[in-house]
Amino acid sequence: MSNEGKKVKAHYRGTLDDGTQFDCSYDRNEPIEFTCMAGQMIPGFDAAVKDMAVGEKKTVKIPAADAYGEYNPQAVQEVPVSQVPNADQLPVGQTVYFQGPMGPFPAKVVSVDSEKCVFDMNHELAGKDLTFEIELVEVAE
């Protein structure tokens, strides 16, 4: 029985190849709720939940292409310091937010010097294969 188009609730634990946990709904004591196969989740997670039954648990390895995408070097941008307000105060290594036509979007500050600021706009998990332990807790018809 397919869960496609149905509202589902699932608990999950997400880890990287080295075992580092990057997210866990159990830690928040609240499952994630989404409409299955509606594009609200990364494609690999959606596909994993699509044919699960309530109470079922599974572990899936999702390649980067079906997660947050491959790392895109073109998403690393240099911006002249003259175009960045308070450039000297940017926190190198941290994420800042820019206003775009679709709303705010994150960018990691890679470096700042006297001439340019370098920003990485890839998702922090881009280029990484992910492993999810998933437990389907509810399906609404």
Side-chain angles (χ1 to χ4, degrees):
M1 171 168 67
S2 175
N3 294 319
E4 186 168 355
K6 297 177 182 173
K7 270 204 189 291
V8 299
K9 288 185 181 180
H11 268 300
Y12 65 91
R13 175 174 288 106
T15 56
L16 303 174
D17 283 347
D18 67 2
T20 302
Q21 179 177 295
F22 61 86
D23 196 9
C24 181
S25 67
Y26 293 104
D27 292 349
R28 293 184 295 278
N29 205 23
E30 187 174 330
I32 190 163
E33 183 175 341
F34 62 98
T35 301
C36 188
M37 303 304 290
Q40 298 171 343
M41 301 296 289
I42 60 173
F45 195 100
D46 251 347
V49 172
K50 181 180 174 188
D51 295 316
M52 288 179 71
V54 172
E56 184 179 349
K57 295 180 180 183
K58 70 164 61 168
T59 299
V60 295
K61 183 167 178 98
I62 301 173
D66 290 328
Y68 291 95
E70 298 296 343
Y71 186 84
N72 179 1
Q74 294 179 338
V76 178
Q77 300 287 314
E78 293 183 0
V79 179
V81 132
S82 61
Q83 295 179 14
V84 181
N86 301 313
D88 59 329
Q89 296 172 25
L90 283 174
V92 174
Q94 294 186 17
T95 300
V96 296
Y97 291 84
F98 289 99
Q99 190 63 38
M102 305 284 285
F105 65 93
K108 182 177 180 180
V109 181
V110 177
S111 65
V112 178
D113 63 29
S114 61
E115 296 176 13
K116 66 184 178 305
C117 302
V118 180
F119 299 99
D120 185 345
M121 290 167 242
N122 283 286
H123 188 281
E124 64 183 335
L125 295 173
K128 298 181 190 291
D129 296 335
L130 309 178
T131 299
F132 283 94
E133 297 168 26
I134 303 171
E135 176 185 5
L136 187 62
V137 296
E138 185 179 310
V139 176
E141 293 298 326

